[in-house]
């Protein structure tokens, strides 16, 4: 480390010095299934619609954007339905900025946030950088949340995060449980629904719980189902009073004119990207079945000398998202590396011994199957 690095490190807030930047590996590989993106790129028709939308506003880029993104929020409210209006919707640069703004407004020094781990790793990280004490709640052995309300009553946090479907497990949370958490919480309850569009048919959204619950927030993103990860657009639905509170902490003009135009074009043409969601659901369920049926003679063959559990079969978590958590490996690092060596990048994350794979195109899923089969047979 250079003298300059030493000097700067000494000036960083002491509680942040041990942290490392968030980020999944960005490697140049033939098949990348590690960041839960929608693998289907926008069609030529959608690309043209986006290009036209940007061209229409290009002559106004010398002016600041609409700082309240009113038209975008109207479009998002229309998409969400449930009788929501623009006054109940807020948008920001990805759902991470939504989380940050919520913690800036309702967390902070002397306050705490509670989440149930394993879950989205940015919840504790953003809590820490906003000086909000993080409380690591726990899940059941099957990653359920039967004691969630009890934990909330015990810790009395100012903000509670409930992720449904949960990342990295893929599990959805019953609405009755969210109601219990809300009734037990003294402060804000944030239901992170980043993968809501991928849930199984008939699974209700926490949006249905908003009426009469002013402390409830439901956050979403356009990164997944809308195939718009590069747009960086997250949003929430809540009581108008919550939106008013966020206006006090948001940066001026935080959403560029270009971002708003691209997002509105994608919403206007949402039928195309959302059509891929059903295909991804089917591929997810097929891959879950394949993983559960995968076995090795004698259950041996894992790198590091380990063996597969349950008579040589993998354990695979039920998923309502566009990814699958599977394991349990004696040496998951070696399994992950072996898959990567075969040109397929998945995510080494989650509980010890587990790995996570995003759902890709049929060809990408086949490449993953082949790579995993070869690794487990080596």
């Amino acid at each position: 480390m250079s003298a300059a690095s030493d000097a700067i490190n000494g000036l960083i807030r002491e509680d942040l010095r041990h942290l490392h930047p968030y980020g999944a590996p960005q490697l140049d590989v033939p098949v990348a299934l590690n960041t839960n993106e929608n693998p289907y790129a926008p069609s030529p028709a959608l690309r043209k619609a986006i290009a036209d939308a940007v061209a229409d506003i290009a002559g106004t880029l010398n002016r600041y954007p609409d700082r309240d993104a009113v038209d975008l929020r109207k479009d998002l409210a229309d998409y969400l339905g449930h009788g929501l209006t623009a006054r109940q919707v807020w948008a920001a640069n990805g759902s991470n900025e939504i989380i940050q703004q919520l913690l800036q407004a309702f967390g902070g020094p002397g306050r705490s946030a509670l989440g149930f781990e394993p879950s989205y790793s940015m919840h504790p990280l953003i809590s820490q950088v906003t000086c909000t004490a993080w409380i690591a709640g726990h899940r059941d052995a099957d990653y359920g949340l039967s004691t969630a309300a009890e934990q909330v009553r015990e810790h009395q946090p100012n903000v509670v995060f409930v992720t449904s479907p949960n990342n990295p497990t893929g599990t959805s949370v019953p609405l009755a449980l969210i109601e219990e958490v809300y009734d037990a919480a003294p402060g804000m309850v944030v239901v992170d629904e980043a993968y809501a569009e991928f849930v199984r048919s008939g699974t209700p959204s926490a949006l249905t719980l908003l009426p009469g619950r002013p402390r409830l927030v439901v956050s979403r993103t356009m990164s997944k189902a809308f195939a718009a990860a590069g747009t960086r657009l997250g949003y929430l639905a809540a009581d108008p009073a919550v939106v008013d509170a966020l206006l006090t902490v948001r940066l001026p003009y935080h959403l560029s004119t270009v971002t708003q135009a691209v997002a509105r074009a994608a919403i206007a043409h949402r039928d195309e990207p959302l059509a891929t969601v059903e295909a991804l659901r089917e591929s997810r369920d097929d891959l879950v079945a394949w993983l559960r049926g995968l076995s090795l003679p004698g259950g041996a063959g894992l790198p590091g000398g380990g063996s597969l559990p349950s008579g040589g079969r993998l354990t695979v978590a039920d998923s309502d998202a566009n990814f699958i958590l599977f394991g349990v490996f004696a040496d998951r690092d070696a399994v992950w590396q072996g898959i990567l060596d075969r040109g397929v990048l998945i995510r080494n994350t989650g509980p010890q011994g587990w790995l996570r794979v995003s759902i890709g195109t049929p060809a990408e899923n086949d490449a993953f199957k082949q790579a995993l089969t070869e690794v487990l047979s080596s």
Side-chain angles (χ1 to χ4, degrees):
M1 183 177 292
S2 68
S5 296
D6 287 338
I8 295 301
N9 190 57
L11 298 175
I12 296 174
R13 277 170 36 194
E14 187 173 352
D15 62 315
L16 301 182
R17 290 176 190 171
H18 70 286
L19 297 181
H20 300 284
Y22 170 86
Q26 290 184 304
L27 305 177
D28 185 13
V29 293
V31 178
L33 299 174
N34 67 321
T35 52
N36 303 338
E37 298 158 324
N38 188 318
Y40 296 101
S43 70
L46 181 51
R47 293 201 297 269
K48 183 178 185 306
I50 291 172
D52 289 345
V54 174
D56 287 343
I57 53 88
T60 70
L61 293 181
N62 59 313
R63 302 296 184 183
Y64 285 112
D66 173 7
R67 64 174 175 246
D68 294 334
V70 173
D71 289 336
L72 172 59
R73 289 161 59 197
K74 289 177 181 177
D75 292 348
L76 289 168
D78 178 67
Y79 165 66
L80 290 176
H82 297 280
L84 292 168
T85 67
R87 284 280 294 119
Q88 297 168 277
V89 174
W90 182 244
N93 283 282
S95 59
N96 290 328
E97 188 177 40
I98 290 289
I99 295 165
Q100 177 176 282
Q101 291 176 345
L102 286 167
L103 287 168
Q104 286 174 319
F106 301 106
R111 297 189 173 200
S112 63
L114 167 68
F116 306 97
E117 298 183 352
S119 192
Y120 185 38
S121 60
M122 286 302 293
H123 292 159
L125 181 58
I126 299 176
S127 293
Q128 183 160 3
V129 300
T130 58
C131 301
T132 307
W134 177 254
I135 301 170
H138 61 268
R139 292 176 176 268
D140 306 332
D142 63 355
Y143 304 122
L145 292 173
S146 65
T147 65
E150 178 183 333
Q151 294 179 65
V152 171
R153 281 190 290 269
E154 175 186 355
H155 295 289
Q156 294 290 288
N158 300 94
V159 181
V160 179
F161 288 103
V162 179
T163 311
S164 182
N166 184 49
N167 180 9
T169 63
T171 47
S172 289
V173 179
L175 293 190
L177 192 149
I178 295 174
E179 290 180 280
E180 291 177 8
V181 168
Y182 184 89
D183 291 341
M188 305 301 296
V189 175
V190 182
V191 182
D192 188 333
E193 288 191 345
Y195 301 92
E197 287 87 354
F198 295 97
V199 299
R200 299 170 194 282
S201 178
T203 303
S205 165
L207 292 169
T208 62
L209 299 179
L210 286 173
R213 294 183 175 87
R215 294 180 289 107
L216 183 64
V217 175
V218 180
S219 67
R220 294 278 189 99
T221 180
M222 291 185 67
S223 294
K224 315 301 181 182
F226 275 88
T231 303
R232 308 308 304 130
L233 199 291
Y235 56 104
L236 63 74
D239 190 274
V242 175
V243 175
D244 290 341
L246 299 186
L247 289 173
T248 66
V249 299
R250 61 92 188 267
L251 292 174
Y253 312 109
H254 69 298
L255 279 180
S256 76
T257 302
V258 173
T259 297
Q260 294 182 45
V262 171
R264 295 193 67 204
I267 296 169
H269 296 80
R270 59 183 174 267
D271 288 349
E272 178 194 310
L274 293 180
T276 68
V277 169
E278 181 57 36
L280 291 169
R281 283 198 202 107
E282 292 179 4
S283 293
R284 172 198 66 203
D285 294 343
D286 289 346
L287 189 53
V288 165
W290 181 85
L291 286 166
R292 287 176 173 166
L294 186 65
S295 63
L296 294 175
L302 289 183
S307 61
L308 288 168
S310 306
R313 295 195 180 275
L314 293 170
T315 300
V316 186
D318 290 329
S319 178
D320 264 332
N322 67 334
F323 56 81
I324 301 169
L325 190 72
F326 66 100
V328 178
F329 301 105
D331 187 351
R332 71 170 176 183
D333 293 343
V335 176
W336 177 85
Q337 185 63 55
I339 295 171
L340 178 60
D341 291 342
R342 290 162 175 81
V344 180
L345 176 62
I346 63 173
R347 191 72 183 271
N348 190 343
T349 189
Q352 185 61 39
W354 293 77
L355 295 169
R356 191 193 73 195
V357 60
S358 306
I359 305 303
T361 64
E364 290 171 334
N365 295 334
D366 287 343
F368 163 71
K369 290 179 182 179
Q370 180 176 344
L372 179 61
T373 300
E374 292 178 3
V375 170
L376 298 186
S377 301
S378 60

